[in-house]
Amino acid sequence: MDDTPPTLLVIDDESLVLRAVSRTLTSQGYRVVCAHDGPEGLGILRQQEIDVALVDVGLPGMDGLEVLRRAKRVSPSTEYIIFTGKADISIAYEALEAGASDYFEKPIRDWQRFHQVLKRGVQVHHLKRENRELQERKREGPAA
């Protein structure tokens, strides 16, 4: 891994949540990009490499689970974490089925576990990226 700080995307329609999460994660050494809705978040995923995306379920227009499904196609190497203000085991199950690596309730109370999940997500993202690069080199054949 290089010395570039991991990039996190936070998609949430609540400005207070975006500011609080961004401030906390920036202080932990992450580069944080914020989006206020699903389409904005998907646009960011198309434009730049994101290690981990935190997606709120209760987004206006396109809910977080639909954002997750679309985002997995746009950026399959990004790791996704769903978070929501509503404790609902069926949403957690659906999020994991759709490809989220974890699920958190807002407000986040167990920051230690949250940071462990983020670190693991960054590591998985880097492994996926390295694997993709190796597969591309393999397809290109031996170097001349």
Side-chain angles (χ1 to χ4, degrees):
M1 280 196 277
D2 55 26
D3 291 336
T4 307
T7 301
L8 307 180
L9 170 62
V10 183
I11 307 173
D12 196 305
D13 61 319
E14 297 178 49
S15 294
L16 288 174
V17 171
L18 287 176
R19 279 196 300 273
V21 172
S22 179
R23 186 173 38 249
T24 300
L25 296 176
T26 299
S27 74
Q28 297 293 318
Y30 294 101
R31 179 177 168 267
V32 180
V33 180
C34 295
H36 292 90
D37 60 29
E40 183 182 4
L42 291 169
I44 291 168
L45 285 164
R46 285 184 188 95
Q47 294 172 358
Q48 59 184 289
E49 182 95 9
I50 301 293
D51 294 275
V52 178
L54 308 166
V55 183
D56 180 32
V57 170
L59 295 171
M62 182 189 319
D63 75 25
L65 295 174
E66 181 60 27
V67 172
L68 171 63
R69 288 181 194 97
R70 292 181 187 195
K72 292 290 288 184
R73 291 190 298 268
V74 169
S75 183
S77 66
T78 297
E79 285 294 292
Y80 296 91
I81 298 170
I82 289 289
F83 64 130
T84 183
K86 299 174 188 170
D88 186 337
I89 194 70
S90 65
I91 290 174
Y93 179 76
E94 192 175 346
L96 295 173
E97 283 287 306
S101 61
D102 217 315
Y103 171 92
F104 282 88
E105 289 178 39
K106 292 189 297 185
I108 296 168
R109 289 183 170 80
D110 189 348
W111 282 97
Q112 182 177 355
R113 179 175 164 265
F114 185 70
H115 287 298
Q116 290 171 341
V117 169
L118 286 178
K119 279 185 177 180
R120 184 182 71 226
V122 169
Q123 291 170 339
V124 169
H125 169 78
H126 283 271
L127 289 171
K128 286 179 182 178
R129 188 177 65 197
E130 287 174 15
N131 185 39
R132 184 181 68 231
E133 290 168 359
L134 288 171
Q135 293 299 324
E136 288 170 4
R137 279 192 230 136
K138 185 178 176 183
R139 276 192 295 275
E140 292 169 2

